[in-house]
Amino acid sequence: MPPQHDSAPAPFPAPARDSVPVILWGAARTTVKVAVRAGRVAWWTWRRVLWPRRDQLAAPGLALAALTSGTTAHLAEVPWWAAGLVCGGCVAVLRRAWDRRGVAPEHADTLTGATVVFGAWATAATAWGPAGILGQAWAGLAAVATAAWLAHPAARSWRGLRARCRNWTAQLPAVLAGLGAAGAVLTSTPRLQGKRVDFPLRLPLGTTREDVDRLRRKIESGMGWPEGSIREVRQDPGSTASNRVILTWQDGRVRARAVRLDQAPIPASVYDPIWQGVDDDGRDLFIEQYATEGMTRGLYGGEPGSAKSNLLRLIAYLRAYCPDVLIWAVDLKNDGMTFASILPRLDRIAVNRAQVEEVFADAAALIPLRGRLLQPEDNQKLPLSPRRPAVLILFDEFATAWGKTTQNRATVESAKEVGAKGRAAGIGVEAASQYLAQGSLHPDLRPLFTRRVAGRMQERADAQFLLKHWTRLDTTVLPTGVFYLQVSGERHARLLHTPEVTDKDLARAAAETEHLAPVLEPETAQELPFYAGRWADLPEHLLPYCSPAQRELAAAPPPASATTLRAVAAAPPHRTMVSERIDSSAAVDPALAAMCAVFVDARDGDVRTGDVVAAAAAQGRSRTYATDRLAAWRGEGLIRQTGRGLWALACPAEGLLEAATAAEGGAGRRRGDGP
């Protein structure tokens, strides 16, 4: 048989691959890749473009959300009332979220109003569709809301502060760590309130609130904030943990706000709080001049030009419309011209130190007299009315009358009586002076003032007599008309922006309220020692401003029962005289006679202290003897000091020797004066 050749078996044919699954698989992979890429782009756009600009895009975002929700609800055939309920719920949720985020109230109200408008549009679009006139309305609303939100200066300022606050949130923990408080963290988003930013902090172990408070200046330096920007470091009121504190930042720059007098609410009674201006956020500020315990007292300080007198004029302007307030004005700075335009509404005015002493002597005498008018149902506080009005004393420049000197003793004692006991009797005091210091205000008077107002000062330490925590405030940067207001019971002072009160405004108030001016109750007025002659010595330059009734009182002779302090000072002391006289040559000290002879020879001229000392030395007396007698004679009203080392007679020359001899009998002698 022939050999057979080996042959390999033929392979089976490969099955044809189906192309459909391959295409689907490739399409799926491509779709996933595109979706991932699109998600990454969207996430990058959201995180890098939209989210950092979320404040600017708030209004257009609301408009887009309204368009999307209205269109979707219309296509899904959702009932219009259900869409309205959903929109109402969204408004409430957004309002609460903005409040928790610290959005300023005015901006939160604006955004809430815009949300309500767009919610109403979405409800209408659900019912009728977003096309046609509804679409045009949406475009108009979106354009107006976006333009207003982006262009308004207050909104732009707030958005800028929000942007800076986000940077500070990341920077503050690092600064605290560098200052030894490593581990301090922000517990929540900082809260913005106007120009204030509250940073809620949780302190690490070993760090207390006092430690952070002592680091305020270093924190300001590390954060790049202006000096004095950290207003306070306080315990977090929302937590009981002692390591939870609030660090409050506020822009240290103070700018005056434009405040108009015509926006002032006019009080109808002394019981109504009185408007003083607006705070740093534009909200009205009121003070209580009649509180639970009675009339309150205010103390004002600041350098010349800080508008202290303007604040007193504002009080006079507003209280002129109250028919149950008597206004007593004291103007030692401007000879009465500060209150001249409103003079017809004033009950009295004092322009020199003698008249100031009369005013406060009458006010002190008024307290027990009004105490007799109290009834059991009054509960130890006199009810005020036009029949028994309140007495408001406006005192401009009190340093020369309330300073800690011997010559002010009588006025200071009367003022202490008024400040300590005059509240229930309806006597209030508003006093202003420059550069408050220990010497310009008697230390017994300062605690009696429960309300303090500090204007611009030359040195920061000048505010220590007015403000609590004065080291944290800088009064040297205050513009004219801007003050720090410190009210009793409040830890922190508030910024006060006041309007300008012109003479024209005061004259208008005087003309409108002259018929409202009350009178002091007769049973009290007739027993006050100086009240009847209060217009007797009115300066001539104030007469053109007076009412006809005041001119008659100023021209009339003083009542026989009235004894003014100036008359007492000009006359020798009243002493008991007998008909039989003792020979003065045997009783009078030759040194006294020589000293008196120096004043008699000079008469209307000035006498130098050295001349008086030389006259006493010629009679064998020491310098101490002479200077002690000069001080005693001034206290008795015999002489007055006209300058440094200069004296002049204040009584008739003929009675000087007798008065000096009589004063010698009651005066104690110092050691070394001789027999």
Side-chain angles (χ1 to χ4, degrees), residues 187-384:
T187 58
S188 62
T189 303
R191 181 180 179 84
L192 279 69
Q193 297 178 343
K195 293 184 178 181
R196 295 169 63 95
V197 181
D198 290 340
F199 294 92
L201 296 173
R202 184 175 67 243
L203 302 180
L205 181 65
T207 304
T208 63
R209 181 182 63 82
E210 289 77 11
D211 296 333
V212 179
D213 199 12
R214 285 191 290 267
L215 294 172
R216 286 187 299 113
R217 292 292 177 264
K218 294 183 179 180
I219 296 174
E220 291 169 353
S221 177
M223 296 292 295
W225 291 338
E227 184 180 357
S229 297
I230 298 179
R231 297 303 174 90
E232 59 178 329
V233 180
R234 67 181 190 277
Q235 183 69 28
D236 190 348
S239 175
T240 58
S242 59
N243 66 337
R244 299 287 292 273
V245 300
I246 299 290
L247 187 148
T248 300
W249 176 91
Q250 185 168 348
D251 193 350
R253 294 172 295 177
V254 180
R255 299 182 180 89
R257 298 176 62 95
V259 184
R260 302 190 315 274
L261 182 63
D262 54 12
Q263 73 184 62
I266 302 300
S269 171
V270 68
Y271 296 100
D272 296 336
I274 186 171
W275 182 78
Q276 290 286 270
V278 299
D279 63 7
D280 213 24
D281 295 327
R283 294 172 297 210
D284 291 330
L285 277 181
F286 294 85
I287 60 171
E288 294 279 354
Q289 283 190 319
Y290 192 90
T292 305
E293 68 275 8
M295 293 291 288
T296 60
R297 296 157 305 282
L299 191 64
Y300 306 79
E303 70 174 5
S306 58
K308 302 181 306 299
S309 301
N310 185 75
L311 259 178
L312 297 181
R313 286 157 61 96
L314 175 62
I315 295 175
Y317 171 84
L318 294 175
R319 283 306 182 199
Y321 290 90
C322 300
D324 53 357
V325 177
L326 276 175
I327 303 176
W328 293 0
V330 180
D331 185 14
L332 296 183
K333 181 182 71 173
N334 204 18
D335 292 332
M337 294 304 295
T338 301
F339 304 99
S341 299
I342 202 171
L343 195 61
R345 180 57 177 83
L346 302 183
D347 186 59
R348 72 190 300 175
I349 188 169
V351 297
N352 55 51
R353 291 174 57 183
Q355 291 177 341
V356 173
E357 191 171 341
E358 292 179 0
V359 166
F360 283 95
D362 280 351
L366 187 66
I367 297 172
L369 296 176
R370 282 196 159 180
R372 304 174 188 174
L373 305 177
L374 289 172
Q375 300 297 323
E377 60 271 14
D378 295 336
N379 195 21
Q380 299 300 310
K381 187 170 67 174
L382 188 73
L384 302 176

Side-chain angles (χ1 to χ4, degrees), residues 417-441:
E417 189 80 6
V418 173
K421 304 178 181 179
R423 294 173 297 175
I427 306 175
V429 181
E430 306 287 335
S433 182
Q434 303 171 9
Y435 307 123
L436 239 64
Q438 194 74 22
S440 61
L441 179 63

Side-chain angles (χ1 to χ4, degrees), residues 276-279 285 311 481-485 494-498:
Q276 290 286 270
V278 299
D279 63 7
L285 277 181
L311 259 178
V482 182
F483 301 86
Y484 280 111
L485 172 64
R494 293 178 287 175
L495 273 175
L496 169 64
H497 300 259
T498 59

